[in-house]
Amino acid sequence: MSEPTAAMLSIEDVRKEYGSKVVLEDVDLQVSEGEICTLVGPSGCGKSTLLRLILGQEFPTRGTLRIDGSTAGFPDPSRGIVFQRYGLYPHLSVIDNVTLGRTLTQGVLERRRRRAENREAGMAMLERVRLGAHADKYPHELSGGMQQRVAIAQSLMMKPRILLMDEPFGALDPDTREEMQLFLLELWEEEQMTIFFVTHDLEEALFVGTRILVLSQYYSDDRGDGVQRGSRIVADHHLAPIASATHVKNDPEFRRLIDSLREDGFDPAYQQHVREFNLKHSDSFQTLDGDVASGAPD
């Protein structure tokens, strides 16, 4: 594999343990600015753990994680987060939820002095997500899809370098979910944001992403039986951005790629050797210790 080059997000040899349990093992990844990286994998593979490491909520047991060349520390405004369950404050209006991050960075006097300016900025953001008419409503008065757009607007107000999304549309009905997928792609086309998107839905991952990553604990190496293995990135593909083309979900090639990814990472009976991982993206790289891949794969 090629060596990593300069990237907005760089993850090298990252391992994460909880006590005696190894969740992630030698994860290597570099992400360029403007990509939508979708991350999929079987239950328990560590998708949300990797997201928390990028966010800074947790730290790796070993390895390095850098943003723009600097070690990623505790959460800061450079990393926005959107969760599955909106994360809105029910006692605040929509406009107050959207401007909350901005106002929390201001002292009491400054907040009063800049009240009109803060509202104007919040309204501009709400107009961008097509919710300007709902600024003075409260979250419970909005549909699930509208609440999620407010949550996205709340994150974008802080102008993050990376927008992290953890199953953001998982609680929505199928029609609203597809509407939100299209909305996200429209927003990405306008802003060319860098997005790291975790989902359990392969169809959603392929439709939304410009790059898809499969994280899995189902693989083999040269260490033999009885070794506890953490998850690695077992597949990494470039995807052509296809905003608004929902019919592609029925394309035979689209379905074939879903089947291939499901086999690569979701089938416990099909375990690729570490030297055979399907790392097709031009930025893919992998570092292997000698005992993990000491010779040719079985």
Side-chain angles (χ1 to χ4, degrees), residues 8-21:
M8 172 191 279
L9 172 65
S10 178
I11 299 173
E12 297 181 46
D13 294 329
V14 161
R15 181 182 181 92
K16 182 62 179 177
E17 301 171 359
Y18 295 103
S20 61
K21 182 176 176 58

Side-chain angles (χ1 to χ4, degrees), residues 112-163:
R112 290 175 180 171
R113 179 170 54 83
R114 301 179 66 177
R115 181 176 297 165
E117 179 187 333
N118 289 337
R119 182 177 175 88
E120 182 180 355
M123 286 301 300
M125 181 61 69
L126 285 173
E127 291 294 342
R128 285 179 58 200
V129 300
R130 302 194 292 274
L131 288 174
H134 304 276
D136 295 313
K137 292 182 179 179
Y138 288 84
H140 74 272
E141 299 179 272
L142 306 181
S143 68
M146 293 167 75
Q147 288 186 58
Q148 199 60 301
R149 276 189 274 160
V150 175
I152 293 171
Q154 184 184 63
S155 290
L156 293 181
M157 276 292 290
M158 302 307 292
K159 301 185 185 303
R161 296 279 287 134
I162 302 175
L163 180 62

Side-chain angles (χ1 to χ4, degrees), residues 45-253:
C45 72
K47 298 186 295 295
S48 292
T49 298
L50 182 56
L51 195 80
R52 289 194 295 271
L53 293 177
I54 297 171
L55 180 61
Q57 281 186 326
E58 298 186 27
F59 295 92
T61 305
R62 187 183 73 199
T64 60
L65 196 154
R66 297 183 178 90
I67 297 175
D68 293 324
S70 299
T71 300
F74 291 102
D76 61 34
S78 71
R79 289 157 286 177
I81 181 73
V82 177
F83 296 105
Q84 181 176 344
R85 287 292 178 181
Y86 320 131
L88 304 179
Y89 289 92
H91 64 288
L92 296 180
S93 66
V94 167
I95 185 69
D96 287 340
N97 266 289
V98 167
T99 58
L100 183 62
R102 181 179 175 128
T103 56
L104 286 177
T105 64
Q106 301 168 352
V108 175
L109 294 179
E110 182 184 9
R111 195 179 308 164
R112 290 175 180 171
R113 179 170 54 83
R114 301 179 66 177
R115 181 176 297 165
E117 179 187 333
N118 289 337
R119 182 177 175 88
E120 182 180 355
M123 286 301 300
M125 181 61 69
L126 285 173
E127 291 294 342
R128 285 179 58 200
V129 300
R130 302 194 292 274
L131 288 174
H134 304 276
D136 295 313
K137 292 182 179 179
Y138 288 84
H140 74 272
E141 299 179 272
L142 306 181
S143 68
M146 293 167 75
Q147 288 186 58
Q148 199 60 301
R149 276 189 274 160
V150 175
I152 293 171
Q154 184 184 63
S155 290
L156 293 181
M157 276 292 290
M158 302 307 292
K159 301 185 185 303
R161 296 279 287 134
I162 302 175
L163 180 62
L164 303 166
M165 309 186 82
D166 192 2
E167 297 279 4
F169 309 145
L172 305 176
D173 64 81
D175 288 343
T176 305
R177 186 169 189 159
E178 186 164 82
E179 177 186 323
M180 288 302 298
Q181 291 167 3
L182 292 170
F183 164 74
L184 181 65
L185 287 171
E186 290 171 8
L187 199 61
W188 173 78
E189 284 194 325
E190 292 174 7
E191 298 296 321
Q192 291 295 293
M193 300 176 292
T194 304
I195 300 174
F196 203 87
F197 187 107
V198 171
T199 179
H200 71 277
D201 189 317
L202 280 167
E203 182 180 275
E204 177 172 74
L206 286 179
F207 181 67
V208 168
T210 64
R211 179 180 183 180
I212 187 166
L213 306 162
V214 181
L215 186 71
S216 181
Q217 64 271 50
Y218 302 137
Y219 63 89
S220 66
D221 54 38
D222 294 339
R223 290 176 292 179
D225 298 332
V227 175
Q228 184 184 165
R229 294 174 173 86
S231 294
R232 295 174 181 262
I233 294 174
V234 303
D236 183 356
H237 294 259
H238 171 77
L239 303 171
I242 46 168
S244 78
T246 57
H247 60 81
V248 76
K249 295 180 181 182
N250 298 315
D251 184 84
E253 184 58 35

Side-chain angles (χ1 to χ4, degrees), residues 266-284:
F266 292 78
D267 184 357
Y270 177 75
Q271 298 198 9
Q272 301 175 88
H273 191 276
V274 289
R275 290 191 182 277
E276 296 180 326
F277 287 168
N278 205 350
L279 305 177
K280 295 185 175 180
H281 195 279
S282 59
D283 286 341
S284 293

